[in-house]
PDB file of all heavy atoms in Angstrom:
ATOM      1  N   ASP Y  19       0.617  34.420  37.510  1.00  0.00           N
ATOM      2  CA  ASP Y  19       1.810  33.939  36.785  1.00  0.00           C
ATOM      3  C   ASP Y  19       1.966  34.641  35.441  1.00  0.00           C
ATOM      4  O   ASP Y  19       2.234  34.052  34.404  1.00  0.00           O
ATOM      5  CB  ASP Y  19       1.723  32.427  36.590  1.00  0.00           C
ATOM      6  CG  ASP Y  19       0.409  32.069  35.954  1.00  0.00           C
ATOM      7  OD1 ASP Y  19      -0.415  32.979  35.774  1.00  0.00           O
ATOM      8  OD2 ASP Y  19       0.237  30.909  35.613  1.00  0.00           O
ATOM      9  N   PHE Y  20       1.705  35.890  35.513  1.00  0.00           N
ATOM     10  CA  PHE Y  20       1.888  36.739  34.335  1.00  0.00           C
ATOM     11  C   PHE Y  20       3.355  36.739  33.902  1.00  0.00           C
ATOM     12  O   PHE Y  20       3.709  36.674  32.742  1.00  0.00           O
ATOM     13  CB  PHE Y  20       1.408  38.161  34.624  1.00  0.00           C
ATOM     14  CG  PHE Y  20       1.601  39.095  33.474  1.00  0.00           C
ATOM     15  CD1 PHE Y  20       0.929  38.870  32.275  1.00  0.00           C
ATOM     16  CD2 PHE Y  20       2.481  40.147  33.571  1.00  0.00           C
ATOM     17  CE1 PHE Y  20       1.125  39.735  31.225  1.00  0.00           C
ATOM     18  CE2 PHE Y  20       2.667  41.006  32.496  1.00  0.00           C
ATOM     19  CZ  PHE Y  20       1.983  40.784  31.315  1.00  0.00           C
ATOM     20  N   LEU Y  21       4.203  36.844  34.967  1.00  0.00           N
ATOM     21  CA  LEU Y  21       5.622  36.912  34.679  1.00  0.00           C
ATOM     22  C   LEU Y  21       6.146  35.682  33.937  1.00  0.00           C
ATOM     23  O   LEU Y  21       6.921  35.750  32.993  1.00  0.00           O
ATOM     24  CB  LEU Y  21       6.408  37.100  35.961  1.00  0.00           C
ATOM     25  CG  LEU Y  21       6.242  38.495  36.583  1.00  0.00           C
ATOM     26  CD1 LEU Y  21       7.021  38.613  37.869  1.00  0.00           C
ATOM     27  CD2 LEU Y  21       6.656  39.563  35.573  1.00  0.00           C
ATOM     28  N   SER Y  22       5.656  34.521  34.399  1.00  0.00           N
ATOM     29  CA  SER Y  22       6.127  33.286  33.745  1.00  0.00           C
ATOM     30  C   SER Y  22       5.636  33.231  32.295  1.00  0.00           C
ATOM     31  O   SER Y  22       6.350  32.771  31.414  1.00  0.00           O
ATOM     32  CB  SER Y  22       5.627  32.068  34.515  1.00  0.00           C
ATOM     33  OG  SER Y  22       4.263  31.872  34.278  1.00  0.00           O
ATOM     34  N   ALA Y  23       4.448  33.783  32.089  1.00  0.00           N
ATOM     35  CA  ALA Y  23       3.965  33.833  30.713  1.00  0.00           C
ATOM     36  C   ALA Y  23       4.883  34.692  29.873  1.00  0.00           C
ATOM     37  O   ALA Y  23       5.269  34.331  28.749  1.00  0.00           O
ATOM     38  CB  ALA Y  23       2.539  34.395  30.683  1.00  0.00           C
ATOM     39  N   ILE Y  24       5.229  35.834  30.406  1.00  0.00           N
ATOM     40  CA  ILE Y  24       6.150  36.737  29.735  1.00  0.00           C
ATOM     41  C   ILE Y  24       7.444  35.976  29.395  1.00  0.00           C
ATOM     42  O   ILE Y  24       7.939  36.022  28.237  1.00  0.00           O
ATOM     43  CB  ILE Y  24       6.449  37.984  30.607  1.00  0.00           C
ATOM     44  CG1 ILE Y  24       5.304  38.959  30.545  1.00  0.00           C
ATOM     45  CG2 ILE Y  24       7.756  38.665  30.148  1.00  0.00           C
ATOM     46  CD1 ILE Y  24       5.124  39.629  29.213  1.00  0.00           C
ATOM     47  N   ASP Y  25       7.935  35.298  30.392  1.00  0.00           N
ATOM     48  CA  ASP Y  25       9.159  34.533  30.198  1.00  0.00           C
ATOM     49  C   ASP Y  25       9.007  33.594  28.991  1.00  0.00           C
ATOM     50  O   ASP Y  25       9.879  33.510  28.114  1.00  0.00           O
ATOM     51  CB  ASP Y  25       9.460  33.653  31.418  1.00  0.00           C
ATOM     52  CG  ASP Y  25      10.307  34.461  32.435  1.00  0.00           C
ATOM     53  OD1 ASP Y  25      10.275  35.702  32.320  1.00  0.00           O
ATOM     54  OD2 ASP Y  25      10.908  33.834  33.300  1.00  0.00           O
ATOM     55  N   GLU Y  26       7.906  32.913  29.051  1.00  0.00           N
ATOM     56  CA  GLU Y  26       7.676  31.897  28.048  1.00  0.00           C
ATOM     57  C   GLU Y  26       7.780  32.455  26.616  1.00  0.00           C
ATOM     58  O   GLU Y  26       8.318  31.797  25.727  1.00  0.00           O
ATOM     59  CB  GLU Y  26       6.285  31.331  28.263  1.00  0.00           C
ATOM     60  CG  GLU Y  26       6.078  29.934  27.738  1.00  0.00           C
ATOM     61  CD  GLU Y  26       4.689  29.471  28.129  1.00  0.00           C
ATOM     62  OE1 GLU Y  26       4.315  29.634  29.329  1.00  0.00           O
ATOM     63  OE2 GLU Y  26       3.980  28.996  27.252  1.00  0.00           O
ATOM     64  N   LYS Y 133      -0.855  35.599  25.796  1.00  0.00           N
ATOM     65  CA  LYS Y 133      -0.110  35.540  27.054  1.00  0.00           C
ATOM     66  C   LYS Y 133       0.582  36.854  27.371  1.00  0.00           C
ATOM     67  O   LYS Y 133       1.107  37.047  28.483  1.00  0.00           O
ATOM     68  CB  LYS Y 133       0.912  34.428  26.998  1.00  0.00           C
ATOM     69  CG  LYS Y 133       0.305  33.034  26.859  1.00  0.00           C
ATOM     70  CD  LYS Y 133       1.375  31.996  26.728  1.00  0.00           C
ATOM     71  CE  LYS Y 133       0.826  30.662  26.268  1.00  0.00           C
ATOM     72  NZ  LYS Y 133       1.843  29.870  25.605  1.00  0.00           N
ATOM     73  N   ARG Y 177      -5.595  41.453  28.276  1.00  0.00           N
ATOM     74  CA  ARG Y 177      -4.652  41.342  27.138  1.00  0.00           C
ATOM     75  C   ARG Y 177      -5.181  42.220  25.984  1.00  0.00           C
ATOM     76  O   ARG Y 177      -6.411  42.324  25.846  1.00  0.00           O
ATOM     77  CB  ARG Y 177      -4.549  39.892  26.637  1.00  0.00           C
ATOM     78  CG  ARG Y 177      -4.427  38.850  27.670  1.00  0.00           C
ATOM     79  CD  ARG Y 177      -3.177  39.004  28.477  1.00  0.00           C
ATOM     80  NE  ARG Y 177      -3.023  37.848  29.364  1.00  0.00           N
ATOM     81  CZ  ARG Y 177      -2.157  37.821  30.357  1.00  0.00           C
ATOM     82  NH1 ARG Y 177      -1.397  38.869  30.641  1.00  0.00           N
ATOM     83  NH2 ARG Y 177      -2.050  36.761  31.111  1.00  0.00           N
TER      84      ARG Y 177
END
Side-chain angles (χ1 to χ4, degrees):
Chain Y
D19 53 355
F20 178 65
L21 288 180
S22 73
I24 282 292
D25 272 19
E26 205 176 312
K133 296 178 193 155
R177 316 298 187 192

